[in-house]
Amino acid sequence: MGYVVGDYLLDRLRELGVTEIFGVPGDFNLQFLDHVIAHPDIRWIGSANELNAGYAADGYARLRGIGAVVTTYGVGELSAVNAIAGSYAEHVPVVHIVGVPAKDIQAGHRVIHHTLGDGDFHHFRRIAAEVTCAQADLGAADACQEIDRVLNSVRVHRRPGYLMLATDTARVEVSPPATPLAPPADFSSAGARAAFAEAAGEFLGGRRVTVLADIFVDRVGATDRLRTLVGPTPGLPHATLAWGKTVVDESAPNFLGVYTGAASPPQVRAAVEDAERLVTIGVQYTDSITAGFSHRIDTHRTLDIGPERTVIGGVDAFAPLSLTAALEILTELAPEFAAPAPTPAPAAAVPDAPPAVDAPLTQAALWPLVAAALGNNNIVVADQGSAFFGLATLRMPTGITFLGQPLWGSIGYALPAALGAGIACPDRRAVLVIGDGAAQLSIQELGTWIREQLNGVIILVDNNGYAIERAIHGPAAPYNDIAPWRWPELPHAFGGDAESVLTLRATTVGELQHCLKTATDEQDRLVFLHVMTGTTDYPPLVSDIAAALTRANTRT
């Protein structure tokens, strides 16, 4: 067999930066997987289940700019839908490739396995249309054109795409790509650029400017431009929301901290909410990162830069204008801003009186110690619960990439996502922080982590159940309990040995300090650190967020 549709798809993915594909085999994708295995520049990463494969592809895409997951029709793709929906909600470009029955089987409306038994083979494509930006049922006549169309949409919209790849279509012979895919062009109009430059100059000129940035800066690839705008010159005071944590260098002297609405440190809240002029860049306010929409932003003093348009003073909109183009214009205007006010000193990252080394671990002691132990080049992945909110407001060293999922908030996401992120950047160390409740949802991927010989650190916080749910409602309710596991034994149950995994356990402050030092020094093995804290002991931000969610859930 010569060059076929399956090869074309793989070459296009490789062209966009994909060197690993995650997934689970099934009879409708097996022959395509033969081509994945045979591809000289792409490696197959078999996952324990499709949901975890989707999470891993998401973590991979957040670092590489695009990821891919392969499942089989029906049972496989539906298992991955939760992960794809999370990628859609959080603007992560993942290509979902589904192996489907041959075209003649579909045309005959035959009742075969993995179907609903009604001869309709497009049920699941219609489901996928709700959580993907583009879909295609690849056919022999236009498979290559449709692949290019979907991949282009994924890159432009920074959201998942869906490809139905029938077993026979995958084998159709085609020509290799003649030219590379054209990169997405800046869609800003000359008129919008000029009008915005004039209006922004009038709005910001001679005024003290503060910047509040968030996740969409990263999603559109404008992180470097943002860092230029807030760099040492002109030295603009700036903050982020927790969703966009580490889109700026948090060690910079003009970094204010993480803004969380009413739950913010007082000096951060005042600097953002009382700014003479506030420039928000790529910001989306959600309940979980604003303590129940407790932010108080005066739109009349705000210039808001979104992915596709910018609004000044809550009234004047400029579109089409890309976030990148708006940042370029602001950077050119920055010398016209008033000299920035001195940046308030950050709050101390550790308690004034550190607990005794033999004191039992508390959440208040745990998170500052973890943050202080992080290396400059780590990828930190925190599951949505105590881990995310415990670290969200603490400053990270230079070079850290912090990943979480605060909008979709699917617990269990972080373990496979950290695996995917670590595979995407093998020269960086993945540090996963996850609670015991979340870990029970996706712990199977620990076996993949060990099989792939991915060095890193897993900090598993054992507090006997779903702490974030306890904080919201039912602290002693049995539905927030989980089965007790012997966590230190799991790395070996999933294939690890003394050469590949170092298992540590900490119950006191001193033990944690020793374990973190050991984990920092141990670079050649996976470090699995089991940490014990109290059942109803929460990070301060968790209590604030939980109170806000409780009020929202009980409002009549």
Side-chain angles (χ1 to χ4, degrees):
M1 183 180 297
Y3 190 90
V4 298
V5 167
D7 299 317
Y8 185 97
L9 172 56
L10 293 171
D11 282 347
R12 281 305 201 199
L13 289 171
R14 178 64 188 92
E15 176 189 322
L16 298 181
V18 172
T19 55
E20 285 83 15
I21 292 179
F22 302 87
V24 176
D27 60 332
F28 297 131
N29 66 30
L30 292 175
Q31 294 182 42
F32 172 64
L33 294 187
D34 287 339
H35 290 260
V36 176
I37 299 300
H39 197 282
D41 299 317
I42 293 181
R43 193 162 61 96
W44 170 250
I45 307 291
S47 302
N49 59 58
E50 291 88 355
L51 175 60
N52 288 353
Y55 287 151
D58 179 293
Y60 184 96
R62 292 184 191 222
L63 273 298
R64 283 285 185 93
I66 191 167
V69 59
V70 176
T71 66
T72 198
Y73 177 77
V75 293
E77 62 179 306
L78 293 184
S79 293
V81 165
N82 179 32
I84 299 300
S87 299
Y88 184 86
E90 302 219 347
H91 287 259
V92 181
V94 173
V95 182
H96 187 185
I97 304 162
V98 181
V100 303
K103 291 293 186 179
D104 60 339
I105 292 176
Q106 296 185 47
H109 303 289
R110 296 172 63 183
V111 177
I112 62 171
H113 63 287
H114 298 340
T115 73
L116 298 183
D118 60 0
D120 183 348
F121 289 86
H122 284 265
H123 286 295
F124 313 129
R125 180 186 180 183
R126 292 191 287 272
I127 291 173
E130 294 294 327
V131 292
T132 57
C133 68
Q135 313 82 38
D137 179 7
L138 301 179
D142 60 354
C144 297
Q145 296 93 317
E146 285 290 271
I147 288 169
D148 289 355
R149 176 183 64 83
V150 170
L151 293 182
N152 279 323
S153 292
V154 168
R155 290 198 298 164
V156 167
H157 298 290
R158 314 300 294 174
R159 278 182 155 159
Y162 175 88
L163 293 173
M164 294 177 67
L165 182 60
T167 55
D168 50 354
T169 300
R171 300 191 301 268
V172 172
E173 293 196 7
V174 294
S175 299
T179 59
L181 290 171
D186 189 286
F187 52 81
S188 308
S189 72
R193 282 174 177 263
F196 170 66
E198 180 179 357
E202 294 177 359
F203 187 73
L204 302 176
R207 306 285 189 149
R208 285 182 168 177
V209 175
T210 299
V211 172
L212 178 64
D214 200 18
I215 191 65
F216 288 109
V217 174
D218 171 77
R219 295 295 188 263
V220 302
T223 299
D224 289 341
R225 295 188 185 278
L226 170 66
R227 294 188 177 195
T228 298
L229 174 66
V230 301
T233 303
L236 301 178
H238 58 281
T240 70
L241 290 110
W243 197 5
K245 186 174 177 61
T246 68
V247 296
V248 297
D249 180 359
E250 296 188 354
S251 68
N254 53 326
F255 175 66
L256 296 165
V258 172
Y259 175 71
T260 53
S264 307
Q267 72 276 12
V268 177
R269 186 178 186 186
V272 170
E273 296 182 357
D274 298 336
E276 183 176 13
R277 287 290 187 262
L278 181 67
V279 175
T280 57
I281 307 173
V283 167
Q284 182 173 4
Y285 302 108
T286 73
D287 56 350
S288 64
I289 61 172
T290 61
F293 301 109
S294 64
H295 57 292
R296 296 294 177 263
I297 304 298
D298 182 358
T299 57
H300 295 97
R301 291 186 282 115
T302 300
L303 186 155
D304 177 47
I305 301 175
E308 298 180 2
R309 71 169 192 160
T310 291
V311 179
I312 296 180
V315 177
D316 297 321
F318 302 87
L321 183 67
S322 71
L323 187 149
T324 300
L327 271 179
E328 291 173 352
I329 292 168
L330 280 194
T331 302
E332 294 173 358
L333 294 174
E336 301 177 17
F337 304 164
T343 302
V350 294
D352 292 334
V357 294
D358 59 349
L361 264 180
T362 63
Q363 295 276 333
L366 169 64
W367 302 112
L369 290 172
V370 170
L374 294 171
N376 283 353
N377 201 36
N378 291 154
I379 302 167
V380 180
V381 186
D383 211 274
Q384 199 60 31
S386 298
F388 182 88
F389 294 114
L391 288 173
T393 59
L394 299 178
R395 293 190 175 222
M396 300 287 170
T398 300
I400 289 285
T401 300
F402 184 82
L403 302 182
Q405 201 191 44
L407 176 55
W408 188 241
S410 184
I411 66 169
Y413 159 83
L415 196 158
L419 167 71
I423 289 174
C425 297
D427 58 331
R428 303 177 65 187
R429 199 176 198 197
V431 178
L432 165 68
V433 190
I434 190 169
D436 54 343
Q440 287 198 3
L441 274 76
S442 53
I443 194 65
Q444 308 95 322
E445 231 51 48
L446 179 59
T448 309
W449 195 310
I450 292 168
R451 185 196 68 207
E452 294 298 317
Q453 300 179 346
L454 182 66
N455 297 328
V457 179
I458 297 175
I459 302 174
L460 186 136
V461 182
D462 185 348
N463 50 15
N464 193 35
Y466 300 121
I468 187 69
E469 313 297 357
R470 294 189 198 280
I472 296 171
H473 183 78
Y479 47 72
N480 287 325
D481 297 337
I482 61 174
W485 287 8
R486 297 188 183 97
W487 292 102
E489 299 177 19
L490 287 186
H492 298 283
F494 281 103
D497 55 28
E499 293 184 1
S500 59
V501 183
L502 173 63
T503 303
L504 304 171
R505 188 170 187 267
T507 61
T508 68
V509 170
E511 289 174 351
L512 178 61
Q513 291 171 325
H514 174 73
C515 289
L516 291 172
K517 174 64 167 60
T518 301
T520 300
D521 294 339
E522 181 59 65
Q523 296 288 324
D524 297 327
R525 288 184 288 178
L526 169 63
V527 178
F528 186 89
L529 172 53
H530 177 216
V531 174
M532 302 287 293
T533 63
T535 300
T536 55
D537 179 22
Y538 318 121
L541 186 55
V542 163
S543 298
D544 293 329
I545 299 295
L549 296 180
T550 298
R551 288 192 298 271
N553 292 338
T554 57
R555 188 175 295 130
T556 57

